[in-house]
Amino acid sequence: MNVTLRQLQAFVSVADLGRFNLAAAHLGLTQSAVSIMIKDLETELKQRLFDRHTRMVSPTLAGREFLPQARKILADLEIAVGNIHELNTLGRGRVTVASAIVLAATLVPPVIARFISRYPDIVVQIRDMPEEEIRPALTRNEVDLGIGTLSGDDAEIDATLLGRDRLTLVCRADHRLAGQTEARWSDLKGETLIGLAKENPLRDMVDHALLKAGAELRTKYEVRFSTTAISMIAEGLGVSILPENSQQLTASVNVKSILLTLPTISRDISLLQNRQFMLSPAAARMKEFFIQARQTAIADRGPLAHAQR
């Protein structure tokens, strides 16, 4: 059925105002244009919608039957357009952010807090997950943005650098190296290592650095989460090599973080998104907030102060 929006608007205006010339003035059209639209609508519906009198017109039985439906169609369309306008103006919406576990507990919350303060009607969902699960969630379009580390170039995922996080030795407070502010990779020889799962992007970085330094570490345990490794370290089960950001989670446990040098190794913390999908207005604004947080951190030497040009 070829019924147009303008025909419905013309029909409702004529029914409300009772005259073609008044409806035409209301719509900003000529009287002949309104008459043609009503005639075309009647032809399409195969029903006469108005009884024409000398000066006034009134809806026929079919016109009276059709009028509430026409009003509803126009009202529903107005609501739909208004909803889209609210999305564009960030009056409402939803953003889902996937984040690596440690970053979800350290870097992400302050950014979300500032975002919600500015846009209280937008729903924000945080999905904290292992690093290796972020990319699949993005490719399946289950989340809008990801915060984590990308292994090499990726044709499907776009990465915006937020900062760099140096790798540190995390050990118990009574460990032989606990009194030092820095330690060399070669100093770790013979230690029992609590390693991250092999699927984690950080695992390759750590294994390569240990191999290059000639440090023979026995990986006795493998865990998926840094928080698990920290708890195991506190129990004296070994040491672990974790991003510097992890030290924000060690304050309440008997654990210390020591910068590893010779070489100092950093991992990129990036804002990730699927190249195939356009971000919603809310997600695009959230991306801007994370980038602003990076710029502020560089200026203030905050949590992302290691970000480089």
Side-chain angles (χ1 to χ4, degrees), residues 281-292:
R285 189 71 179 111
M286 177 70 79
K287 178 179 178 179
E288 292 176 4
F289 266 63
F290 274 105
I291 293 173
Q292 289 169 5

Side-chain angles (χ1 to χ4, degrees), residues 168-171 192-196 223 229-230 233 238-242:
T168 62
L169 169 69
V170 182
C171 62
T192 298
L193 183 66
I194 302 169
L196 297 174
V223 298
I230 291 169
I233 294 165
V239 301
S240 191
I241 299 170
L242 300 173

Side-chain angles (χ1 to χ4, degrees), residues 33-51:
V34 172
S35 297
I36 290 171
M37 283 191 284
I38 296 299
K39 182 177 180 181
D40 289 343
L41 180 59
E42 291 176 327
T43 300
E44 188 65 37
L45 297 177
K46 298 181 175 58
Q47 291 285 343
R48 186 162 53 86
L49 298 175
F50 291 105
D51 286 323

Side-chain angles (χ1 to χ4, degrees), residues 19-304:
R19 295 176 63 175
F20 279 87
N21 62 338
L22 294 179
H26 174 72
L27 296 171
L29 300 170
T30 64
Q31 183 173 335
S32 61
V34 172
S35 297
I36 290 171
M37 283 191 284
I38 296 299
K39 182 177 180 181
D40 289 343
L41 180 59
E42 291 176 327
T43 300
E44 188 65 37
L45 297 177
K46 298 181 175 58
Q47 291 285 343
R48 186 162 53 86
L49 298 175
F50 291 105
D51 286 323
R52 278 78 167 170
H53 307 291
T54 305
R55 293 194 173 189
M56 300 288 291
V57 294
S58 59
T60 62
L61 177 61
R64 292 195 297 273
E65 183 82 15
F66 185 56
L67 183 58
Q69 302 301 323
R71 290 192 198 279
K72 184 176 186 306
I73 291 169
L74 293 176
D76 287 347
L77 180 60
E78 184 175 355
I79 291 171
V81 171
N83 287 343
I84 295 298
H85 178 71
E86 281 191 349
L87 290 175
N88 287 333
T89 57
L90 302 179
R92 67 181 183 88
R94 176 182 293 271
V95 185
T96 303
V97 180
S99 175
I101 302 293
V102 173
L103 298 176
T106 56
L107 182 150
V108 173
V111 178
I112 300 302
R114 288 193 293 273
F115 183 86
I116 290 300
S117 177
R118 177 65 179 82
Y119 303 106
D121 295 322
I122 293 179
V123 176
V124 179
Q125 182 181 24
I126 306 300
R127 293 183 57 183
D128 48 349
M129 59 179 61
E131 291 261 9
E132 64 270 18
E133 293 183 7
I134 296 175
R135 184 189 182 281
L138 285 166
T139 57
R140 292 192 298 265
N141 201 30
E142 295 174 353
V143 299
D144 299 299
L145 299 168
I147 307 294
T149 299
L150 192 65
S151 298
D153 294 332
D154 194 309
E156 293 186 66
I157 304 299
D158 180 67
T160 301
L161 181 65
L162 293 178
R164 292 191 173 95
D165 205 8
R166 297 175 296 187
L167 295 185
T168 62
L169 169 69
V170 182
C171 62
R172 211 160 82 155
D174 58 1
H175 188 272
R176 62 184 178 88
L177 298 174
Q180 303 178 194
T181 57
E182 297 181 359
R184 296 170 297 180
W185 288 84
S186 57
D187 293 336
L188 306 183
K189 187 174 181 178
E191 294 287 344
T192 298
L193 183 66
I194 302 169
L196 297 174
K198 292 180 179 178
E199 298 83 6
N200 192 303
L202 298 179
R203 177 64 181 266
D204 283 343
M205 295 175 60
V206 170
D207 287 350
H208 180 74
L210 290 171
L211 181 64
K212 190 172 181 180
E216 298 178 9
L217 268 70
R218 183 165 60 99
T219 303
K220 187 172 182 179
Y221 308 101
E222 285 190 1
V223 298
R224 298 187 72 192
F225 307 119
S226 298
T227 48
T228 305
I230 291 169
S231 295
M232 294 175 69
I233 294 165
E235 294 298 326
L237 295 173
V239 301
S240 191
I241 299 170
L242 300 173
E244 189 174 16
N245 226 288
S246 301
Q247 65 185 289
Q248 296 184 54
L249 306 178
T250 65
S252 61
V253 292
N254 196 29
V255 166
K256 288 201 63 178
S257 294
I258 303 164
L259 180 64
L260 285 167
T261 61
L262 297 176
T264 299
I265 297 176
S266 300
R267 62 93 176 246
D268 288 349
I269 300 173
S270 296
L271 181 80
L272 309 174
Q273 69 182 86
N274 193 322
R275 298 179 190 270
Q276 310 294 326
F277 301 101
M278 180 180 293
L279 293 176
S280 68
R285 189 71 179 111
M286 177 70 79
K287 178 179 178 179
E288 292 176 4
F289 266 63
F290 274 105
I291 293 173
Q292 289 169 5
R294 172 202 171 182
Q295 295 168 343
T296 301
I298 294 172
D300 298 342
R301 300 194 63 78
L304 291 179

